[in-house]
Amino acid sequence: IEKGKFISVYGKSGAGKTTFLKMLAGLIEPEDGIIKAEKEIWYDPKKRIAVSPQKRNIGFVFQDYALFPNITVKENLEFVKPTKQNKDRVKEILDITGLFELASRFPGTLSGGQQQRVALARALVREPKLLLLDEPFSALDNEMRVHLQKEIVRIHKHFGLTTLLVSHDFYEITRLSDFIVELDFGKIVKQGTPSEIFDKKKINGKLQSIGRVEEIIREENIFIARVVVGNRIVNVILTMEEALEIRIGDKVLVVLEEN
């Protein structure tokens, strides 16, 4: 995996996505193989190396947030801060993630989206080499999901992180990823950029299908909607009126016909 990239691990339920993240984090030992981050070996059974989770420089955002309910937002972040780290690091992360005003609140008093931001902030306090996200948006409504997706991309770029996102949401991974790894029963079956994985699929004959608008692009006087249809991305030319009416996330009827 190239340093600084946003990687999505994609696949059906049971494909091994979460298990893969837990192996990187040191929560599960692989049956075989080596785990290496840059020049540091985290796992090599032949050399009897198994670095503990606490000593692996990772940030892990779990699906259920895993916040400590009996301490404040700020204390949740301070709990994981390395002892030698700059004392202003927690304040910096609270500012960047927009949580400063919530610092004295307890997790149970926050909305789902706010709790998810706290979980992300806590992961960032460790200044991780790898940021691991295990389906972090699955419990959120569509509006909050889109908002937090933008926030995570912004934070990923701000800190120059290498981020691995586990998801089975096709729309999500095509929107966020530089690179995609598709798993099936623990094996890599495809890997490449979103366009390499999805855009080259051919659609033969005529088909009517419901799609979801991922992005609207303006090129000079032409508007193009990128629409997710099943596991494909289709580019649709819009009129000015259609471009003004359609919003990202809208469901639309797409008629696909072979030329």
Side-chain angles (χ1 to χ4, degrees):
I1 290 172
E2 190 176 340
K3 184 177 179 180
K5 295 296 184 181
F6 197 114
I7 315 296
S8 283
V9 184
Y10 174 64
K12 299 175 183 177
S13 296
K17 305 184 297 297
T18 297
T19 300
F20 171 59
L21 287 198
K22 287 182 176 179
M23 286 179 180
L24 294 180
L27 302 175
I28 295 177
E29 284 197 359
E31 293 178 0
D32 196 8
I34 296 171
I35 299 174
K36 185 178 180 182
E38 295 180 335
K39 295 180 181 180
E40 186 180 355
I41 296 175
W42 286 351
Y43 182 79
D44 186 342
K46 292 180 181 177
K47 296 181 179 179
R48 296 185 178 180
I49 296 173
V51 176
S52 67
Q54 295 82 2
K55 293 182 179 178
R56 299 188 189 198
N57 194 1
I58 60 103
F60 204 139
V61 179
F62 294 89
Q63 192 172 349
D64 60 356
Y65 315 141
L67 302 173
F68 299 115
N70 58 335
I71 58 177
T72 66
V73 168
K74 184 179 180 182
E75 289 166 341
N76 262 276
L77 272 60
E78 289 174 337
F79 185 84
V80 300
K81 184 178 78 70
T83 26
K84 295 181 180 179
Q85 193 182 68
N86 187 323
K87 63 180 181 180
D88 293 328
R89 175 67 174 178
V90 168
K91 181 180 179 298
E92 178 193 2
I93 296 297
L94 288 169
D95 283 337
I96 289 168
T97 54
L99 291 168
F100 191 77
E101 293 183 358
L102 304 176
S104 60
R105 298 264 298 271
F106 289 89
T109 68
L110 304 178
S111 69
Q114 289 169 335
Q115 289 185 51
Q116 187 60 281
R117 272 194 288 152
V118 175
L120 175 62
R122 189 177 61 179
L124 294 172
V125 165
R126 294 174 57 85
E127 299 182 10
K129 282 183 181 178
L130 283 177
L131 177 62
L132 308 179
L133 308 171
D134 187 11
E135 301 206 36
F137 314 112
S138 59
L140 305 175
D141 61 49
N142 187 63
E143 185 178 350
M144 181 55 66
R145 187 182 298 118
V146 171
H147 173 71
L148 277 178
Q149 285 171 355
K150 291 178 181 177
E151 281 296 293
I152 281 180
V153 170
R154 181 181 66 80
I155 288 167
H156 163 82
K157 292 177 179 177
H158 179 87
F159 288 106
L161 299 169
T162 303
T163 302
L164 275 80
L165 167 72
V166 155
S167 179
H168 61 268
D169 187 318
F170 173 77
Y171 170 75
E172 193 167 276
I173 65 170
T174 54
R175 183 176 178 80
L176 302 179
S177 310
D178 299 312
F179 194 81
I180 297 169
V181 176
E182 184 175 348
L183 292 183
D184 189 25
F185 291 105
K187 296 184 182 296
I188 295 174
V189 292
K190 290 177 190 171
Q191 55 183 323
T193 64
S195 61
E196 288 171 340
I197 297 295
F198 299 115
D199 280 1
K200 292 184 179 179
K201 293 194 174 182
K202 303 279 185 187
I203 303 173
N204 296 319
K206 187 173 181 179
L207 173 68
Q208 290 190 14
S209 186
I210 299 295
R212 181 166 49 179
V213 179
E214 176 192 358
E215 187 178 11
I216 299 174
I217 304 165
R218 181 172 184 173
E219 295 183 359
E220 296 181 354
N221 295 322
I222 299 174
F223 293 88
I224 300 172
R226 286 169 57 82
V227 181
V228 176
V229 181
N231 59 354
R232 305 174 177 92
I233 298 177
V234 179
N235 292 327
V236 180
I237 296 175
L238 304 176
T239 65
M240 175 74 79
E241 292 76 16
E242 289 169 336
L244 292 172
E245 290 179 3
I246 292 174
R247 297 287 181 269
I248 292 172
D250 283 356
K251 291 183 178 179
V252 293
L253 177 65
V254 180
V255 179
L256 306 169
E257 189 169 1
E258 185 179 21
N259 293 329

